[in-house]
Amino acid sequence: MNTIYDFTALSNKGKEVNFADYKGKVLLIVNTASKCGFTPQYDGLEALYQKYKDQGLVIIGFPCDQFGHQEPGTDEQIEEFCRLNHGVTFPLMSKIEVNGDGAHPIYQWQKSEAGFAGFNPEHKLTKILDEMFTKADPDYASKPDIKWNFTKFLISREGKVICRFEPTTEPKEMEESIEKELAK
């Protein structure tokens, strides 16, 4: 599979979404969680969506409960939380896994296209995350697995992974990359 257009996934309403329907759009795909230190990124993601959706940006959230049990709710509860607390209007998918044997095919593909990008050295949580992952696996940085909630993949209008942003990259820090893709 060479592009995002080769995949489908379930929406949070249980309907199959064919990613070929997004041809010609710039996508930002994010694994999300409602009870995480990075959850406030929903606000920044929604701001980007509102600013650029008319130019072709689509942000797609994939809730995931693989990191610290920080997304325990049902698809309906997750949508309500996102809408009420963060004003989220971008599409949310059904809860998935992003790592391991049960990883959704979209995430298997994205990880194969863009490995771990490294944590932002300026972010306040970088040291904590690095110590936690190094303790569990001294070689963690060389592996493409998703490390935590709010890992973001930027997908071109041609359906290719352009880059990966780790959770320590705030949405506003991705704006230049998004604008560059939208201008193509």
Side-chain angles (χ1 to χ4, degrees):
M1 296 195 188
N2 294 330
T3 71
I4 193 75
Y5 308 134
D6 297 320
F7 298 95
T8 63
L10 284 182
S11 76
N12 65 344
K13 305 283 192 228
K15 295 198 185 325
E16 186 171 71
V17 174
N18 185 338
F19 277 71
D21 293 344
Y22 292 112
K23 280 186 179 176
K25 303 284 188 184
V26 172
L27 304 180
L28 187 67
I29 298 179
V30 187
N31 65 301
T32 61
S34 300
K35 300 182 183 312
C36 175
F38 294 107
T39 300
Q41 286 191 18
Y42 270 127
D43 296 325
L45 292 168
E46 180 63 22
L48 288 173
Y49 181 61
Q50 290 301 320
K51 184 172 181 178
Y52 295 108
K53 68 180 180 179
D54 292 339
Q55 296 174 46
L57 177 67
V58 179
I59 296 176
I60 302 172
F62 277 90
C64 177
D65 194 37
Q66 284 190 286
F67 306 101
H69 194 48
Q70 295 179 343
E71 190 58 279
T74 64
D75 287 342
E76 296 78 19
Q77 291 167 332
I78 294 165
E79 179 182 27
E80 182 177 16
F81 170 85
C82 291
R83 187 173 35 81
L84 293 177
N85 295 289
H86 300 283
V88 168
T89 61
F90 57 80
L92 295 172
M93 306 306 284
S94 188
K95 193 172 5 177
I96 62 162
E97 291 186 359
V98 297
N99 288 331
D101 293 340
H104 192 282
I106 285 177
Y107 273 83
Q108 293 174 13
W109 172 73
Q110 288 180 134
K111 292 184 298 185
S112 74
E113 296 292 308
F116 178 60
F119 294 121
N120 176 350
E122 305 297 317
H123 197 280
K124 64 184 177 185
L125 295 177
T126 292
K127 185 176 182 205
I128 295 166
L129 291 170
D130 184 56
E131 288 173 0
M132 179 175 72
F133 293 124
T134 299
K135 185 176 181 181
D137 178 2
D139 198 31
Y140 84 92
S142 69
K143 297 177 179 154
D145 283 350
I146 303 299
K147 307 305 182 214
W148 207 255
N149 306 306
F150 291 90
T151 299
K152 299 159 279 291
F153 290 88
L154 185 62
I155 311 291
S156 73
R157 292 185 191 272
E158 293 76 36
K160 301 280 190 183
V161 174
I162 297 302
C163 57
R164 172 175 168 166
F165 300 97
E166 299 304 327
T168 53
T169 300
E170 295 292 329
K172 66 181 178 230
E173 296 173 294
M174 301 180 299
E175 195 162 3
E176 186 177 323
S177 296
I178 290 168
E179 286 179 348
K180 183 178 172 186
E181 284 309 308
L182 289 170
K184 291 182 179 177

